[in-house]
Amino acid sequence: MADRLQKVMAQAGVASRRKSEELISTGHVTINGQVMTELGYKVNPKDKIEVDGMPIQQAEKLVYYLLYKPRGFVSTAKDEKGRRTVVDLLTDVDERVYPVGRLDFDTTGALIMTNDGDLMNYLTHPKYEVDKVYTAKVEGIPTNDELMQLRHGIKLEGKMTKPARTKILNTKTNENKKTTSLVQITIHEGRNHQVKKMFKHIGHEVVGLRRESYGFLDLHGLQPGDYRELRFEEVEALKNGKANLKVQGRL
């Protein structure tokens, strides 16, 4: 992403923004070997900036995106097996970003991408209880007693899950007389394959899974593979511990 030269210089610790403007206008700054005196000139992360012949290290701009992850991508920056990653989908993002948490290879839905490590740690820590809403397509029809187990918490791999919120959205029987249900489930933990394991525990295999929202961020206006940059007020709400509250304006 391009940013104004004087802003980049200030972020890199060269001088204040006003002093950086003076350095630019008086010919002290070069970009890729060419003197630059234009205030407000947009530079890219790959540009080589020098002040009086001394190169400066651009401070990486913090960026925040919401991605609608499609099937067939791994939620990592690099995959040792050579599979496509979610980072590959952000084709016009210059910064090195990482997914906040993970969605399985065959799971779709809302995934935050950022290079802000502090925010990543906050959003993924279970003590902050950031809601994640999923729609799970499961085999059969879960009974109320079975769903109550998820609402109270179950033991997975020796540790109890936090209480989940669940609701059956609809059921369908196909031509082979196999019945499936769409179940909405809200959790705020992020254990490996957690939703799939929870439904398997009560006897219903998950055959399709989509994360509908992460905190207040939902998939409105996005198709699989699409992404958008978060608005300033959305980022501020996330940073201020208001991830579960809707911010003003339609997402």
Side-chain angles (χ1 to χ4, degrees), residues 121-145:
N121 291 335
Y122 160 69
L123 291 174
T124 55
H125 200 295
K127 81 174 184 179
Y128 296 114
E129 300 190 352
V130 178
D131 285 346
K132 284 158 278 190
V133 180
Y134 295 82
T135 299
K137 183 179 181 181
V138 304
E139 295 178 346
I141 305 175
T143 66
N144 187 58
D145 287 343

Side-chain angles (χ1 to χ4, degrees), residues 97-242:
V97 294
Y98 302 89
V100 177
R102 294 193 174 190
L103 290 177
D104 293 342
F105 186 76
D106 59 348
T107 299
T108 68
L111 186 64
I112 298 173
M113 306 286 293
T114 184
N115 56 357
D116 187 335
D118 291 337
L119 183 63
M120 290 176 68
N121 291 335
Y122 160 69
L123 291 174
T124 55
H125 200 295
K127 81 174 184 179
Y128 296 114
E129 300 190 352
V130 178
D131 285 346
K132 284 158 278 190
V133 180
Y134 295 82
T135 299
K137 183 179 181 181
V138 304
E139 295 178 346
I141 305 175
T143 66
N144 187 58
D145 287 343
E146 289 169 339
L147 293 178
M148 285 300 293
Q149 293 182 52
L150 304 184
R151 293 167 187 159
H152 287 116
I154 59 174
K155 184 172 286 189
L156 287 181
E157 299 168 346
K159 184 179 179 182
M160 293 296 293
T161 62
K162 298 290 186 180
R165 299 195 298 273
T166 61
K167 178 172 66 174
I168 294 180
L169 301 177
N170 64 56
T171 61
K172 182 181 292 186
T173 302
N174 64 18
E175 62 274 11
N176 298 319
K177 297 185 178 180
K178 289 186 176 181
T179 301
T180 57
S181 303
L182 279 183
V183 184
Q184 184 184 89
I185 179 168
T186 303
I187 62 174
H188 52 255
E189 297 174 282
R191 300 197 215 174
N192 199 29
H193 310 302
Q194 181 171 343
V195 173
K196 294 177 180 178
K197 290 178 179 178
M198 291 172 72
F199 279 104
K200 185 175 182 178
H201 181 86
I202 62 171
H204 299 273
E205 291 282 347
V206 172
V207 294
L209 186 63
R210 180 172 66 189
R211 183 193 281 165
E212 304 291 348
S213 60
Y214 196 116
F216 59 74
L217 296 169
D218 61 33
L219 298 171
H220 178 76
L222 297 177
Q223 296 296 319
D226 289 349
Y227 59 94
R228 67 173 181 85
E229 191 166 8
L230 298 190
R231 305 196 310 268
F232 172 80
E233 57 267 31
E234 292 173 331
V235 174
E236 288 301 296
L238 292 175
K239 289 183 175 180
N240 292 325
K242 300 176 181 179

